[in-house]
Amino acid sequence: MAAAKGDGRAPAPRRATRDGLVASTAAAAAVRQLGELVTSEPVGVTSIEPVEDGWVVEVEVIEEHRIPSSADILALYEIELDEEGDLLAFHRTRRYARGKSGTGSEGS
């Protein structure tokens, strides 16, 4: 069946890997491997996307615990995994206070 052409977007691949690595396994691998590399506490996966040669996973972590917890400092890390779920690269993309949207400018 042909892909729809009206929306202007390229169709996303259904599966980025040949060996059957599924999104939930890739997400768990990203959280585990990030936890081994940074001292921050991983909280959860905020996004996951298949790419041609693996996965890109975004994980939220608590970078600084504060009292009250609503003042914690959080960060988002982007993790690149290969087709087997092994870490290729990671970097922090954003840092923000809990309760802030984390998008746009960090005004008061």
Side-chain angles (χ1 to χ4, degrees):
M1 194 177 250
K5 295 183 180 184
D7 64 2
R9 297 183 307 175
R14 291 300 244 167
R15 177 170 302 234
T17 62
R18 291 182 213 100
D19 65 353
L21 185 66
V22 295
S24 59
T25 305
V31 169
R32 179 181 50 78
Q33 292 177 79
L34 181 64
E36 293 172 358
L37 294 170
V38 299
T39 57
S40 305
E41 174 187 342
V43 177
V45 173
T46 61
S47 70
I48 184 165
E49 178 181 356
V51 292
E52 185 176 328
D53 56 353
W55 296 89
V56 174
V57 183
E58 194 170 54
V59 176
E60 187 173 54
V61 302
I62 300 174
E63 290 219 325
E64 293 179 30
H65 285 282
R66 295 190 175 170
I67 297 175
S69 62
S70 59
D72 287 349
I73 302 296
L74 305 177
L76 288 175
Y77 283 81
E78 183 178 277
I79 296 102
E80 297 175 37
L81 303 175
D82 67 11
E83 295 174 347
E84 287 80 39
D86 293 322
L87 183 85
L88 296 174
F90 79 98
H91 63 277
R92 184 172 63 191
T93 59
R94 207 169 7 209
R95 194 168 193 249
Y96 53 94
R98 185 185 297 268
K100 304 275 185 193
S101 69
T103 59
S105 64
E106 292 188 27
S108 52

